[in-house]
Amino acid sequence: EPEVTQTPSHQVTQMGQEVILRCVPISNHLYFYWYRQILGQKVEFLVSFYNNEISEKSEIFDDQFSVERPDGSNFTLKIRSTKLEDSAMYFCASGPPPGSPLHFGNGTRLTVT
Amino acid sequence: SQQGEEDPQALSIQEGENATMNCSYKTSINNLQWYRQNSGRGLVHLILIRSNEREKHSGRLRVTLDTSKKSSSLLITASRAADTASYFCATDPQAAGNKLTFGGGTRVLVKP
């Protein structure tokens, strides 16, 4: 069964550094998402992306965050200047049109020191 | 409470027993979904129930939805040790396609 793949599985970075989290969605999906889960807390929606533009974003997704689909397969989340509170598990998801289940990757654990 | 709250927060049962967990939510929804998360792994979709459905089955899973009470339940019958995981409900609000709101989850431990 097709899977959403995320790399790296674990990223450690220093505060203030830029990080790029990468995702390869399922090939025939057109809707892409990023969610995050701070340790011990709920999974939170960050952003949805369709037709090469952001369709919706949460309050968390401020100017430090950006997403891009640089080619036909990758979907990236960039955090420009990481903060300690950005430490979390970041999940990429893809899906058919809204109203259908999402397919999640295994996540990237980001640790900001 | 916040959108998508599960209860109990944790559940410990013996293999073969049934596990029931509940989810309450606040706003109108398009559908409600249940996901499973094994420790350190991603979320795996289990079942989706639409707002006009009341009950849905998938293998050993049974989900109910009561939109008048804004609540849902997930029943796992004849549990197995492999069912040990965290289970999350996620609501898909009307007119907000797939901006899922997750609950805090129920941690289920199935003892062999």
Side-chain angles (χ1 to χ4, degrees):
Chain A
E1 186 177 322
E3 290 183 342
V4 174
T5 56
Q6 290 186 243
T7 55
S9 57
H10 191 188
Q11 172 105 37
V12 181
T13 190
Q14 289 191 326
M15 200 167 50
Q17 295 296 304
E18 174 184 286
V19 294
I20 297 176
L21 310 183
R22 303 181 191 280
C23 169
V24 178
I26 293 173
S27 60
N28 62 347
H29 287 171
L30 299 178
Y31 295 79
F32 313 113
Y33 309 84
W34 284 99
Y35 285 78
R36 80 171 186 191
Q37 185 179 33
I38 294 172
L39 187 64
Q41 298 187 23
K42 297 182 181 183
V43 176
E44 302 171 290
F45 169 82
L46 291 179
V47 65
S48 59
F49 190 87
Y50 169 70
N51 200 26
N52 280 322
E53 61 183 28
I54 291 173
S55 42
E56 194 157 4
K57 61 183 180 179
S58 71
E59 291 175 355
I60 302 166
F61 195 88
D62 61 22
D63 292 343
Q64 292 300 312
F65 291 88
S66 62
V67 289
E68 194 178 31
R69 189 155 162 81
D71 52 44
S73 59
N74 291 286
F75 179 52
T76 62
L77 174 69
K78 182 193 288 186
I79 309 174
R80 288 190 185 82
S81 178
T82 50
K83 302 187 285 285
L84 293 176
E85 53 265 37
D86 294 327
S87 294
M89 184 76 95
Y90 288 81
F91 292 106
C92 172
S94 69
S100 300
L102 296 186
H103 296 252
F104 284 84
N106 281 327
T108 293
R109 181 172 298 284
L110 176 66
T111 302
V112 182
T113 61
Chain B
S1 62
Q2 297 180 31
Q3 184 84 343
E5 288 293 328
E6 289 94 336
D7 101 273
Q9 291 186 336
L11 186 59
S12 179
I13 56 175
Q14 293 293 137
E15 211 165 21
E17 293 180 339
N18 295 343
T20 300
M21 58 212 86
N22 304 295
C23 169
S24 61
Y25 59 92
K26 292 287 191 182
T27 63
S28 296
I29 61 170
N30 182 40
N31 63 68
L32 185 145
Q33 304 176 32
W34 285 91
Y35 288 83
R36 185 182 78 192
Q37 184 182 35
N38 289 80
S39 181
R41 306 282 287 181
L43 295 147
V44 175
H45 176 260
L46 295 176
I47 199 163
L48 180 152
I49 186 164
R50 302 194 188 283
S51 59
N52 62 351
E53 297 175 308
R54 293 296 167 258
E55 187 170 315
K56 208 160 182 182
H57 296 254
S58 176
R60 294 184 294 111
L61 305 180
R62 173 177 169 255
V63 166
T64 63
L65 179 65
D66 186 335
T67 52
S68 66
K69 294 181 180 176
K70 290 186 167 58
S71 68
S72 173
S73 68
L74 170 67
L75 167 68
I76 305 172
T77 60
S79 62
R80 304 166 182 168
D83 294 328
T84 294
S86 290
Y87 293 82
F88 296 88
C89 71
T91 51
D92 185 359
Q94 288 179 342
N98 269 350
K99 181 182 175 183
L100 299 180
T101 300
F102 283 83
T106 294
R107 293 186 309 280
V108 175
L109 172 64
V110 182
K111 294 179 281 189

